[in-house]
Amino acid sequence: MALFYVDGLPIGWIAIMLAVLASMGGFIFGYDTGQISDILLMDDFLLRFSTCTTPGDVSTCSFSTVREGLIVALLSIGTLVGALIGAPTADFLGRRYAMTAECVVFMIGVIIQITSFHSWVQFAIGRLVSGLGVGSLSAAVPMYQAETAPPQIRGTLTATYQLFITFGILVAYCISIGARDISGSGSWRTVVGIGLLWPLILGIGILFMPESPRWLTAHSRFPEARRAIAATRGIPESEAEDHFFVHRELEEMKSAIEFESKVKAGWIDCFKPQRMQLYRTLLGMTLQMFQQLTGANYFFYYGATIFTSVGISDSFVTQIILGAVNFGCTFGGMYVMERFGRRFPLIIGGVWQSIWLFVFAAAGTAKDPTTDEGIGKLMIVSACLFILGYAMTWAPGVWILIGETFPTRTRARQAALSTASNWLWNFLLAFFTPFIVRDIQYRYGFVFAACNLAGAVIVYFFLYESSDLSLESVDMMYCDPTCKPWTSRTWAPAGFNSRQDLVEQARAAEMHKPLEAGGGEETRFEKAGGPADAAPRV
């Protein structure tokens, strides 16, 4: 039974559940990101793994720039590799079983970390192994959500991945502030060890969700694909066989996959200019790069250290405030991306973020925040306003686009390449930030401000508006030579006057009330034919 209706089309509770459960992959990444910032400041962790001029005196202990960078950044190297192997793993095992296997890998990494005693190298290697799991999940989860979620709420459901990243960061901050007073190694081992719970929830729970109908269709498992579509739409399994909407959606998938399967897809196909493949691969990788270059992880990885340096007495509390802003505003981001599309929020977000990073950098450069309380507060406020904009635009927006920009035939590989770009820049920023901050201090914010402006420009000139379209129609749009990024908001498949016309036609089709199209019972949607009609057209 349908849980609710969007544009007259049914949405089942399974669609909501699978999006939330799969998003635990984002929670795992967020938790792992958030914990390291606070762990680096815990007394026992410093005594065990840093360099102390007076053994046993934590006030004399500190990490070298290289050691701190490696402990933080090796996670990103693992995620980079994991993102690349995540695509073939998801294609071979299926989206669900791949996620379960990747959760096991993450748990192995956590065990390596909590069994470290005095070797910082072992702890760093544990983060590297955990990164393999996180990176693979980052490729599989948005792809699974985009392929399974109904188009009417695909943006919102895919954005739950980013929402759970922010939730994981906030939870890590809260657990860290509670565990920091535990004596001995229990302080940091508690924070790291709790990380075993999250992959257990995802790895086991996802097995009770339906597999991606597009993956099932690609493997000729049509009855299972039919049941998966029916489940996400809240249609009883007994009615799936003959239900008009399920039949239409399955046939659309069959047509798209049949057309795409005529040419064998490999990694090299992601870089071919035909059908805008190279364009979309480079676009996805560039958007993921600029998501890192917004500067958000500058605050998430090194936030506690940053706020200590501006004179805040308890940087852990400030981290929680920043994490709460990040988490709370991501709810707004889910609405913004669904209500205003993809292009407009990213452009406005890039400009907004740039403004507040300029303020942050200028304030920290003009006066010493450790001696001027007003400057310190201004920097914290500007950081929070930056995070507000990021959480509502670039944070969820880029992950949504990775799930819906690429064609089925190469989606897994292109998503993997895009995600790998994210992790590569994640590593570069995590590792080199201590070196850069040591030399230019808060002027680092000017670099991120410029990158945000560049990202907004790239979105305007190169990104197509994909909201309200099925994944197959998105492919048609990119291959339409008459459509340009700045005019893509009004594009609709052949047979439709506008994008709103497409939505209304889909609603009428679901209600078994075809709009007049000059041809009896044949609807304009059927005449447009989606991918079946698209094959000769593109």
Side-chain angles (χ1 to χ4, degrees), residues 18 90-96 140 142-154 157-158 210-230 232-233 245-246 248-258 260-261 402-412 466 468-476 525 530-531:
L18 69 86
D91 281 343
F92 180 72
L93 295 178
R95 312 317 190 206
R96 295 181 309 150
M143 181 166 52
Y144 173 71
Q145 291 174 321
E147 291 180 346
T148 311
Q152 292 73 26
I153 58 170
R154 186 179 63 232
L157 295 190
T158 306
E211 180 57 88
S212 160
R214 283 178 175 79
W215 184 85
L216 291 169
T217 302
H219 288 75
S220 301
R221 294 162 61 174
F222 303 123
E224 294 173 74
R226 187 178 293 109
R227 289 194 294 270
I229 296 171
T232 59
R233 290 296 190 175
F245 184 84
V246 174
R248 188 192 67 191
E249 192 161 322
L250 181 60
E251 289 303 314
E252 185 176 294
M253 291 180 189
K254 284 182 181 179
S255 298
I257 292 170
E258 180 181 356
E260 292 167 351
S261 64
I402 295 307
E404 66 187 21
T405 300
F406 311 119
T408 302
R409 186 170 64 94
T410 53
R411 182 175 298 124
S466 53
D468 298 326
L469 295 175
S470 69
L471 298 182
E472 289 71 29
S473 294
V474 172
D475 187 42
M476 293 168 61
F525 187 93

Side-chain angles (χ1 to χ4, degrees), residues 264-277:
K264 186 178 179 180
W267 287 100
I268 193 66
D269 292 279
C270 300
F271 298 96
K272 291 182 177 179
Q274 291 84 2
R275 297 181 59 80
M276 299 281 280
Q277 290 286 67

Side-chain angles (χ1 to χ4, degrees), residues 34-35 38-39 42 171-180 191 316:
Q35 69 179 13
D38 293 334
I39 285 175
M42 291 182 176
V171 169
Y173 290 161
C174 293
I175 291 177
S176 295
I177 200 171
R180 63 178 174 173
V191 178
F316 282 63

Side-chain angles (χ1 to χ4, degrees), residues 43 46-48 50-62:
D43 290 351
L46 283 164
L47 288 170
R48 287 174 182 270
S50 69
T51 302
C52 303
T53 55
T54 303
D57 185 357
V58 70
S59 64
T60 66
C61 300
S62 63

